[in-house]
Amino acid sequence: MRRRQLRIALLAVSALAGSVLVATAPAGAEPAGSTATAGSGRSTLEDQEQVRLVRIHLAGADLLDKVVAAGFDLEHGLKRVPTGIEGEAVVTAAQLTELEAMGVDILGDDEGFAWNEEADGGFQSRRTQTVQPLSHEKTVRVVRADWFTTKGQGFLYVEARTTEGQQADPVVEMQVENDSGRGTSFGFARTMSRFVDSGQYMFHRNLFKLDARPNQIRVTSSTGGVATGDVSNWLEDGAPPLTANPAYKWDFVDGYRHPQQLYSRAEEIARQYPDIAEIVYLPNQTNGYQRNAQATIGGTGQAAVVVSSAAWGHEGGNDITVEFVDRPGANIPLSVEVAGKAVRVLLAKDASGGLASTAAQVAAALESQSQGLIGRAHPYRTNAGTGIVVPTSGPVALTDFLDQKRAGAPEGEVPRGPATIPVLRIGKHRDGKKPGVLIQAQDHAREWVPATTSLESAERLVHNYRSDRETKKIVDNTDVFFILSNNPDGANYSFYNFASQRRNMTNHCPDENADPARRNSWGVDLNRNYRVGSGHDGYAGGSTSCVSDTYQGPAELSEPESKNIIWLVEKYSNIKFMMSVHSNGGQLFWQPGAYIADGRITTPRPPLGDEAFYWQSAARILSQVKAHRQTVVTPENVGGSSDVLYSSAGNVREDLYHTYGIYAFGWEVGGSVYNPATGNWQGGSFQPAWVGDPNLVSGHAETMEYANGIMEMFRVAADWGRDKKDPTSSLVPGGGKYSAPVDVRFETSEPATIYYTTDGSRPTLESPRYAATEFREPGQVFHVTETTTFHWFSVDSAGNIEQNYDPTKNDKRNNYRKATITIKR
């Protein structure tokens, strides 16, 4: 069933100024600074300070939004802690000082939040035991209690909520106990951690080690509420992956791949396997791995001039030279001479023979008199350009700075100019009748593992189609679209120029941020450039600063890369599943992905049935990841991304789900891996060493285990496409006569959305939907105090309707479900 289109337009976010390092002036500069180069050599921009990763703590989401909007790179690797948010920042030494001034705490190696694994029996004496209330009145609820093992160690994760959790004075505390198996008593009391986001209480939770699987837990609030819950298994142990078949072919990718290699291999696969593969070329070319040639002449003070060529550097801009020339005499006007690609600015002289041209005047003359060679000239950053320009010691050569090769980067010249992105389409029946799955990798340039993971998945499909039964089922029953790198310009920049590049390379900055020292801070975050829940509509997590790493762009869908995704899903309407593959947080998430910070107002949450389908699919996908080397993505890192991570305004998942009804997942591959040698969880990185300790972080291991997960997603889609079975549902405890008010709820045989009425009318798709008690919780409980008749039907994720009921027609059969709760007083 096709979801109705949703468009959200609310508040506008305020702009915050960016902050990026300014290049220093060379020796011998004027007090305001002068970067005129000697002789006729190329302009030499002082190298920006080396960036490094530091561990940080922020007091909360509000500070996170301010820091990100100010241009700091705090994306990924963030986790919620009871006192705020912890994570890593990619910063220079100067930026580190600025972060501290904003109130960010810099953590040492041994600092940071760790789950409390010790018993805390003192909490028991502070509470008053109360009688367990009716379920609909519970003040304490167990959201989830999950048991899992990794590398021989057991863990219990507990999430619970109290209706009094928002109370801040005194803060409501909660304690969890567990038994040691069926029939044993509760013990091992631990105080749970309280989580608040954007001023709103979320839940209490805990993760701790246990050597034996408990059967139940008990959660107690300091205000007296008590709840018990059963412990469930998180992920399947020993779920065999496709790679368990000795004849199965895998491990095709032997190193990182830049976009040219990825695209070349995609096209080669289509040539090698024409019966099951083809290439679809996306219509909007990228803006290109290209830059205008530039130089900053005269330092960073009021006499500095920033010069940019009209042509791209590789199309002639790199051949331009600019020289500021002094001449003898007095009362000489400012003028510009052009000979070929040499531009000479003849500086003005006043009546006494002194230099008289200001930076603003020189910039204006360059733009108007350079015969089209100079496309942009302006004073440095926010300067007014009132300083008197001094002569250079010779011509200054402009450069696009793209001829520098980063140490360790792959060999080969990067093609300049716009790129056409190929989509590798794999499926035996590519006629739009099979469910489509879109795998979109490398929106963020520095994330190299998502590209290799996606390529490995494609290789497995084509190499095993004729020899492996399960692979044949996938290829015969799905229509898979691989975008191996959705950001080729930025990815090339990451490989060859600046490893930490996140965005594309498009420079939307005005003059104040357009000098070449800002070149590593230009570009749009493609995963903030979509239309639903965007920063332009007031949602948090997207920046209006053009030098922020979460810059959302000048408008929704301003970038060709994001326009291409919308084109693809509109052209191929059979695309019903999507995975946006990122790194390196170790999360799997879906909607809601964004919220308005004031009040923490999220984009609409999926119906309970869709949410259940997401959870069911996640368990299948992550069980296959675990099967490779026991890597566990923990339950705290699965769910709505704004609940488990942070608000990311304008992300692609939100747009595809709400606008087109596509089950859109976001995946942060990598993340923490449990190290049994130390008993700790080791974090990941964007570009881990390709080969390393097989039990810890490495690009190869992450590629193989997460390719397992993508293969399982294909099987989820294939099962979804073959699902023709109607769901069943029931009202529990069911219709009948009751002597007192009763609590009832709905249950379904599979993930399904229930539409119901209690006024005697026929249920339709416009009727109320059965909802969760609260986010990340099961369905609501109805407290029935008087005789009530429920009419309802359920719809599963594939659109099958219970009992073949048609809610769009006034069918006289009225074959929807019915139950009457009769209250006899």
Side-chain angles (χ1 to χ4, degrees), residues 15-157:
L16 293 176
S19 175
V20 177
L21 181 70
V22 176
T24 56
E30 294 289 329
S34 173
T35 57
T37 57
S40 59
R42 303 186 73 82
S43 62
T44 56
L45 175 71
E46 291 286 326
D47 286 340
Q48 292 183 316
E49 293 185 42
Q50 293 296 312
V51 296
R52 62 189 180 100
L53 282 174
V54 295
R55 297 178 61 236
I56 60 170
H57 173 271
L58 303 100
D62 291 343
L63 181 55
L64 173 64
D65 290 341
K66 292 176 183 177
V67 169
V68 171
F72 289 94
D73 186 359
L74 307 188
E75 185 79 352
H76 299 283
L78 299 176
K79 67 177 182 179
R80 299 184 188 280
V81 300
T83 56
I85 297 171
E86 288 182 3
E88 294 177 334
V90 181
V91 294
T92 65
Q95 289 174 318
L96 189 63
T97 300
E98 192 171 348
L99 277 178
E100 290 178 311
M102 295 179 72
V104 177
D105 296 323
I106 310 302
L107 302 177
D109 291 338
D110 298 326
E111 296 181 273
F113 172 72
W115 292 105
N116 178 20
E117 299 175 1
E118 302 299 324
D120 180 15
F123 181 89
Q124 288 274 13
S125 63
R126 298 197 297 271
R127 68 175 178 85
T128 303
Q129 185 67 43
T130 60
V131 177
Q132 184 77 346
L134 292 172
S135 59
H136 73 283
E137 296 175 338
K138 280 186 177 179
T139 59
V140 173
R141 299 188 300 274
V142 175
V143 177
R144 60 188 311 117
D146 291 309
W147 167 261
F148 65 88
T149 60
T150 176
K151 312 259 176 85
Q153 177 62 58
F155 287 88
L156 177 65
Y157 174 73

Side-chain angles (χ1 to χ4, degrees), residues 139-446:
T139 59
V140 173
R141 299 188 300 274
V142 175
V143 177
R144 60 188 311 117
D146 291 309
W147 167 261
F148 65 88
T149 60
T150 176
K151 312 259 176 85
Q153 177 62 58
F155 287 88
L156 177 65
Y157 174 73
V158 178
E159 213 169 87
R161 185 176 279 115
T162 169
T163 57
E164 299 168 323
Q166 192 67 22
Q167 177 180 312
D169 188 20
V171 170
V172 177
E173 296 180 343
M174 295 178 72
Q175 187 182 71
V176 61
E177 302 167 276
N178 60 270
D179 62 20
S180 299
R182 192 177 301 277
T184 61
S185 59
F186 289 111
F188 316 103
R190 291 168 172 82
T191 298
M192 299 182 72
S193 300
R194 176 177 179 264
F195 284 78
V196 174
D197 181 44
S198 198
Q200 300 299 309
Y201 169 70
M202 301 281 286
F203 36 62
H204 285 71
R205 65 180 181 181
N206 236 56
L207 174 72
F208 49 89
K209 297 177 184 176
L210 285 178
D211 292 330
R213 186 192 189 283
N215 183 60
Q216 281 194 322
I217 63 162
R218 179 170 65 189
V219 176
T220 308
S221 166
S222 59
T223 59
V226 181
T228 60
D230 295 330
V231 175
S232 302
N233 288 330
W234 174 242
L235 309 184
E236 298 178 35
D237 281 321
L242 294 173
T243 53
N245 177 359
Y248 188 82
K249 304 178 186 70
W250 59 291
D251 200 359
F252 293 98
V253 182
D254 59 2
Y256 292 118
R257 298 285 187 271
H258 58 62
Q260 293 73 244
Q261 294 169 319
L262 294 168
Y263 296 166
S264 176
R265 180 55 190 153
E267 291 166 337
E268 186 178 6
I269 287 173
R271 289 192 297 270
Q272 288 179 317
Y273 303 92
D275 57 327
I276 59 171
E278 64 179 298
I279 295 293
V280 175
Y281 290 101
L282 296 176
N284 300 293
Q285 286 193 315
T286 69
N287 292 319
Y289 178 79
Q290 56 191 7
R291 289 267 169 85
N292 299 105
Q294 292 186 296
T296 300
I297 305 173
T300 60
Q302 290 291 342
V305 180
V306 178
V307 182
S308 301
S309 64
W312 299 112
H314 67 283
E315 294 179 343
N318 288 334
D319 300 325
I320 297 172
T321 62
V322 175
E323 184 178 9
F324 297 166
V325 180
D326 187 10
R327 296 168 292 170
N331 290 320
I332 303 174
L334 173 66
S335 63
V336 177
E337 291 181 348
V338 178
K341 293 295 182 70
V343 179
R344 301 178 77 237
V345 178
L346 308 179
L347 300 174
K349 306 293 283 288
D350 61 19
S352 63
L355 293 168
S357 297
T358 66
Q361 292 168 338
V362 168
L366 282 167
E367 286 191 346
S368 62
Q369 301 177 42
S370 64
Q371 299 181 17
L373 293 179
I374 304 303
R376 191 174 184 179
H378 51 86
Y380 182 80
R381 303 211 176 161
T382 57
N383 293 346
T386 56
I388 300 301
V389 172
V390 298
T392 59
S393 58
V396 176
L398 307 191
T399 174
D400 61 9
F401 297 97
L402 296 180
D403 55 355
Q404 302 171 15
K405 295 293 185 288
R406 190 172 56 81
E411 294 295 328
E413 182 70 16
V414 183
R416 301 295 198 267
T420 298
I421 298 177
V423 181
L424 175 60
R425 186 182 187 186
I426 298 176
K428 181 61 177 177
H429 308 287
R430 302 184 302 279
D431 55 5
K433 295 180 181 179
K434 299 295 182 180
V437 185
L438 170 59
I439 304 298
Q440 175 199 16
Q442 209 170 35
D443 253 358
H444 294 151
R446 65 191 175 198

Side-chain angles (χ1 to χ4, degrees), residues 731-808:
L731 191 68
V732 179
K737 297 179 180 180
Y738 298 86
S739 59
V742 62
D743 290 339
V744 299
R745 67 186 188 279
F746 287 113
E747 290 186 353
T748 59
S749 60
E750 60 177 298
T753 298
I754 290 178
Y755 296 83
Y756 71 93
T757 65
T758 57
D759 61 0
S761 62
R762 295 178 69 255
T764 70
L765 294 173
E766 303 301 320
S767 299
R769 283 191 307 223
Y770 184 53
T773 303
E774 183 58 271
F775 67 93
R776 297 174 70 82
E777 291 195 32
Q780 65 196 104
V781 174
F782 301 100
H783 186 57
V784 182
T785 60
E786 58 185 31
T787 298
T788 303
T789 297
F790 288 84
H791 292 168
W792 77 92
F793 64 93
S794 60
V795 185
D796 69 15
S797 60
N800 300 308
I801 302 180
E802 187 172 9
Q803 298 186 163
N804 203 30
Y805 171 63
D806 188 344
T808 66

Side-chain angles (χ1 to χ4, degrees), residues 553-564:
E556 297 166 350
L557 297 184
S558 63
E559 304 308 293
E561 298 91 343
S562 52
K563 290 175 182 173
N564 278 334

Side-chain angles (χ1 to χ4, degrees), residues 352-573:
S352 63
L355 293 168
S357 297
T358 66
Q361 292 168 338
V362 168
L366 282 167
E367 286 191 346
S368 62
Q369 301 177 42
S370 64
Q371 299 181 17
L373 293 179
I374 304 303
R376 191 174 184 179
H378 51 86
Y380 182 80
R381 303 211 176 161
T382 57
N383 293 346
T386 56
I388 300 301
V389 172
V390 298
T392 59
S393 58
V396 176
L398 307 191
T399 174
D400 61 9
F401 297 97
L402 296 180
D403 55 355
Q404 302 171 15
K405 295 293 185 288
R406 190 172 56 81
E411 294 295 328
E413 182 70 16
V414 183
R416 301 295 198 267
T420 298
I421 298 177
V423 181
L424 175 60
R425 186 182 187 186
I426 298 176
K428 181 61 177 177
H429 308 287
R430 302 184 302 279
D431 55 5
K433 295 180 181 179
K434 299 295 182 180
V437 185
L438 170 59
I439 304 298
Q440 175 199 16
Q442 209 170 35
D443 253 358
H444 294 151
R446 65 191 175 198
E447 298 168 11
W448 296 358
V449 175
T452 56
T453 299
S454 301
L455 178 59
E456 172 71 19
S457 303
E459 298 279 11
R460 292 183 186 184
L461 287 179
V462 297
H463 281 91
N464 291 289
Y465 176 63
R466 300 193 183 283
S467 58
D468 179 74
R469 179 180 301 177
E470 287 300 314
T471 303
K472 189 175 190 306
K473 288 180 182 178
I474 292 171
V475 176
D476 286 350
N477 292 286
T478 61
D479 189 2
V480 181
F481 299 80
F482 287 99
I483 301 178
L484 299 176
S485 176
N486 195 46
N487 183 5
D489 303 340
N492 278 318
Y493 198 72
S494 175
F495 270 103
Y496 290 98
N497 303 100
F498 178 59
S500 295
Q501 178 75 9
R502 168 182 164 88
R503 295 158 287 166
N504 69 8
M505 287 181 62
T506 308
N507 179 10
H508 289 290
C509 285
D511 292 350
E512 65 187 50
N513 282 308
D515 59 272
R518 294 285 209 221
R519 68 188 185 278
N520 291 342
S521 300
W522 295 329
V524 173
D525 182 344
L526 299 177
N527 204 33
R528 298 295 183 274
N529 194 231
Y530 290 85
R531 300 166 296 181
V532 175
S534 79
H536 299 278
D537 294 334
Y539 285 80
S543 176
T544 59
S545 169
C546 68
V547 290
S548 167
D549 252 325
T550 56
Y551 176 49
Q552 62 198 13
E556 297 166 350
L557 297 184
S558 63
E559 304 308 293
E561 298 91 343
S562 52
K563 290 175 182 173
N564 278 334
I565 300 301
I566 300 305
W567 176 88
L568 190 69
V569 299
E570 289 186 346
K571 180 175 178 63
Y572 300 98
S573 59

